[in-house]
């Protein structure tokens, strides 16, 4: 125990049985064809070893002594999660918006944290996670961490203060909806009153605007379980807002 760990190795594994050691401590432990990186002999019935690094997959663990090779027990090496980047890469210091995380091997992620603060997230696919509401934070660069049975991975994100002329979406309503599309979406934000274009998944969509509110006339159809990015474009400043995430159900 445990019978699973990250492919990067380093997991302390306790092996229990009988006849696991001999005088002089000449026993070996193999994870498939790879030897344990460390081995501690506690008794003839208990060994503690450190798993080696290996490719993801299930192998047979055996104990080898001068008296022979034991029967095998299964151990699974889990692929390590890899975060590539968040969308958006910049958020306001006030927080509150959803953030999509792109990467690989995300199926076994059980915890996501922003600068050490655990946040609620939704699993979308093995390559996408969605932070429901990113917490407020002081301005500057920090990290998002995803961890689970496969290990830990981090990605950078930057908190910024509101600056004149740079548009930011602070909320969309709804944040998720039917993959059939066809319903309106309300966008609220800072410095978006001069919006000239709204894109949904990179494609321009019809919209109307009233003050600091922009309304997409009809959300386009999508695929259930996936997400798209909503952005507004203005003629001044940075021109394009960091995207806000919408999820199809």
């Amino acid at each position: 125990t445990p019978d699973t760990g990250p492919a990067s190795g380093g997991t302390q594994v306790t092996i229990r049985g009988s006849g696991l050691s001999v005088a002089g401590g000449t026993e070996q432990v193999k994870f498939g064809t790879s030897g344990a990186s460390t081995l501690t002999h506690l008794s003839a019935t208990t060994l503690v070893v450190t798993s080696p690094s290996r490719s993801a997959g299930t192998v047979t663990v055996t104990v080898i002594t001068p008296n022979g090779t034991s029967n095998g027990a299964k151990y699974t090496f889990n692929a390590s999660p890899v975060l590539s980047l968040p969308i958006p890469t910049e958020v306001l210091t006030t927080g509150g918006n959803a953030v999509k995380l792109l990467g690989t091997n995300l199926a076994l992620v059980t915890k996501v944290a922003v600068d050490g603060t655990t946040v609620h997230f939704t699993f979308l696919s093995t390559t996408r996670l969605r932070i429901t509401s990113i917490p407020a934070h002081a301005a500057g660069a920090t990290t998002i961490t995803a961890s689970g049975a496969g290990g830990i991975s981090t990605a950078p994100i930057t908190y910024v203060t509101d600056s004149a002329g740079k548009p930011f979406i602070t909320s969309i309503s709804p944040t998720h909806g039917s993959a059939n599309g066809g319903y309106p979406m309300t966008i609220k934000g800072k410095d978006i009153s001069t919006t000239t274009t709204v894109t949904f998944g990179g494609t321009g969509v019809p919209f109307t605007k009233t003050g600091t509110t922009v309304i997409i006339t009809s959300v386009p159809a999508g695929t259930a379980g996936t997400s798209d990015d909503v952005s507004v474009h203005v003629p001044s400043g940075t021109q394009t807002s960091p995207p806000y995430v919408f999820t199809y159900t």
Side-chain angles (χ1 to χ4, degrees), residues 74-214:
K74 298 299 183 182
Y75 183 91
T76 299
F77 288 89
N78 297 308
S80 300
V82 178
L83 293 180
S84 53
L85 79 162
I87 298 176
T89 57
E90 288 186 346
V91 294
L92 289 174
T93 54
T94 50
N97 60 287
V99 172
K100 182 167 60 178
L101 302 177
L102 304 182
T104 56
N105 303 327
L106 303 181
L108 297 179
V109 170
T110 56
K111 179 180 178 181
V112 174
V114 178
D115 195 21
T117 300
T118 301
V119 295
H120 181 269
F121 74 95
T122 302
F123 172 78
L124 300 178
S125 72
T126 58
T127 60
R128 296 187 178 198
L129 305 176
R130 181 178 183 272
I131 296 175
T132 307
S133 177
I134 198 160
H137 191 282
T142 188
T143 56
I144 298 174
T145 303
S147 58
I152 299 174
S153 182
T154 61
I157 192 166
T158 301
Y159 280 85
V160 297
T161 55
D162 181 29
S163 57
K166 183 171 184 176
F168 274 94
I169 296 174
T170 55
S171 69
I172 62 174
S173 181
T175 57
H176 58 276
S178 168
N180 295 328
Y183 41 87
M185 172 188 288
T186 300
I187 302 172
K188 293 183 181 296
K190 298 178 182 296
D191 297 313
I192 66 173
S193 60
T194 58
T195 294
T196 55
T197 307
V198 176
T199 55
F200 199 105
T203 301
V205 292
F207 69 96
T208 62
K209 60 183 179 182
T210 304
T212 59
T213 299
V214 173

